[in-house]
Amino acid sequence: MIGFIKKDLAMIKSNLKLIGILLIVYAVMGLMGEMDISFLLPFMSVMIMISTFSYDNYNKWDAYAISLPDGRKNSVKAKYIATILMVLITAIITTLLSFIISYINTKTINYEQIVITMLGTIFGTLLVLTFMYPTIYKFGVEKARIGIFLIVFGLVMIGGVLSKYINLSFIVKSLSFLENYIVIILIILMVIMVYISYKISEKIFYKKEF
Amino acid sequence: MENVLEIKNLCKKYDNFELKNISFTLPKGMIMGFIGENGAGKTTTIKAILDIIKYDRGEIKIFGLDNQKYDNKIKEDIGVVLDDMFFPEILTPKDINDSMKSIYRNWDTLIFYDYLKEFSLLPNKQIKTFSKGMRKKLEIITALAHHPKLLILDEPTSGLDPVARAEVIQIFQNVLEKEECSILFSSHITTDLEHIADYITFINHGEIVLSKTTNELLDNYGIVKCTEKEFKSIEKKDYIKYKKTKYEYEVLVENKKDFKAKYNISVMDKITLDDLMVLMIKGEE
């Protein structure tokens, strides 16, 4: 499987410059006290990893991957692990940078807020992965992009309509007792949803013919 | 003789195409040319062998093992070149080496770099800067660098110019001299196979038409060129197919010696795989 991860990471080498530029933009905006864009890097890393599906598809890699030892199983596993690795690495770098910015700006470091923000970001990006990857394996990357746009659009619409008729603050309040466990709940939720997503993708890819 | 590849009654049905009871065997250390026109079923058969597609019925054994059950074990010893280009073109040969050495247990980095040097492929250049011939060479090198016992090559020479084709054929010949390797080599360019293949398997419309040694084919089969009167004197059981051209009849016979002994009609001495393929496909029964 490591070979497949190496191949996926080698494919995004040329995007490292983009990540570097984003880091600089984030640092500058942070120091100027402008908008917090710390979510951008982990989110971009998922987007970059999704672009590897386009290359695989364009160059018909998947058929070849299956002809390699344990190819059907490992190529799916590698995509998930490479993406999670990229999300975690960019999240750690952004978090460290946030500590430095926070210290320069205020002479103190608001550890808790930074870590919670980053955890929320990781959760959000992995949510994208959770929905996107099985959709990509099933319908291909182009259709999956449109599909995910429709899903997000639909959710926003439903949320908007619901908030008109239902008192959402009541739900938030009634769930407030979970606040102390939020970190552990987020982590457990992330593990479960990524695992289920992986199993679905694996099943789709196992049946797929090229 | 031990067989590295055995296919028995392989069937796969699509809406507009069907593989019908494909059966053939490739003995150890031999090269089999797998010929047929485009769309005859060569790639589908190869994809079934490699488990890229699932088949409906039949049996495929590689090194005596079921190809689906022992998928992982088998693939350690197979080198593959597929019909289409398959490496993501933003990768470099160095990236391929780094990945493959973690994928194949027997990956030989030294030999990979030796081949790169031999074929003037730069390790740090992106594949998208390579010509078609260079890409094909890289694919072939990659298929060879883990010392496979079986090479499965789907049209490895198609789209290449004559010089690149000769170079590619030379690579396989060199490998066969050094290593004990069997090759299944699909091609519609039959001239590539006449010199190197020990066996020829011919597929047409999803069915195996014949599977014989190359010598048996080229020595025994013959094409009779004759007049209409002469053709009418030939019994139906003595020929396989015939084609009527503007001035004469071309008749494919399975055993030219027997034919000569029976009829007083001259037989072309030398037959090529191309002649055979055209008459088999276009000829009438």
Side-chain angles (χ1 to χ4, degrees), chain A residues 131-205:
Chain A
F131 282 105
M132 272 300 255
Y133 281 20
T135 323
I136 291 172
Y137 279 116
K138 183 77 187 168
F139 302 107
V141 69
E142 297 310 321
K143 283 183 189 160
R145 276 202 186 116
I146 299 166
I148 212 76
F149 171 75
L150 291 176
I151 289 170
V152 172
F153 185 72
L155 286 176
V156 171
M157 290 289 283
I158 292 167
V161 173
L162 282 181
S163 66
K164 260 191 172 177
Y165 300 101
I166 299 167
N167 188 355
L168 287 175
S169 63
F170 168 74
I171 297 171
V172 174
K173 262 182 209 158
S174 61
L175 291 174
S176 64
F177 70 96
L178 292 173
E179 206 175 323
N180 294 334
Y181 310 103
I182 191 78
V183 172
I184 195 83
I185 289 171
L186 272 184
I187 291 172
I188 292 171
L189 259 180
M190 274 192 278
V191 172
I192 293 171
M193 66 187 198
V194 170
Y195 182 74
I196 292 172
S197 167
Y198 162 66
K199 280 289 168 193
I200 295 170
S201 295
E202 193 187 40
K203 211 168 179 183
I204 294 168
F205 197 70

Side-chain angles (χ1 to χ4, degrees), chain A residues 3-4 6-7 10-11 13 55-56 58-61 63-64 66-70 72 206 209-210, chain B residues 12 47 51-54 72 75 82 84-91 95 98-100 102-104:
Chain A
F4 289 89
K6 281 183 183 171
K7 169 247 160 200
M11 281 166 79
K13 262 187 315 195
Y55 281 109
D56 285 350
Y58 178 70
N59 294 111
K60 297 181 175 141
W61 161 262
Y64 180 68
I66 293 169
S67 75
L68 299 171
D70 249 345
R72 267 196 200 269
Y206 186 76
E209 298 188 345
F210 294 92
Chain B
K12 170 80 181 174
K47 284 185 172 176
D51 196 31
I52 296 169
I53 59 165
K54 310 278 178 194
N72 187 26
K75 283 172 181 172
L82 297 178
D84 295 307
M85 309 280 171
F86 47 78
F87 288 134
E89 57 187 24
I90 46 171
L91 295 180
D95 296 330
D98 291 344
S99 304
M100 291 300 167
S102 304
I103 289 174
Y104 285 112

Side-chain angles (χ1 to χ4, degrees), chain B residues 61 143 147:
Chain B
K61 280 189 176 174
H147 307 286

Side-chain angles (χ1 to χ4, degrees), chain B residues 159-187:
Chain B
L160 300 183
D161 62 64
V163 179
R165 262 172 48 208
E167 281 178 325
V168 164
I169 298 284
Q170 190 61 48
I171 302 172
F172 296 130
Q173 281 174 323
N174 291 348
V175 169
L176 284 170
E177 278 169 20
K178 285 184 228 155
E179 312 209 12
E180 192 167 89
C181 184
S182 316
I183 303 181
L184 177 67
F185 188 129
S186 106
S187 182

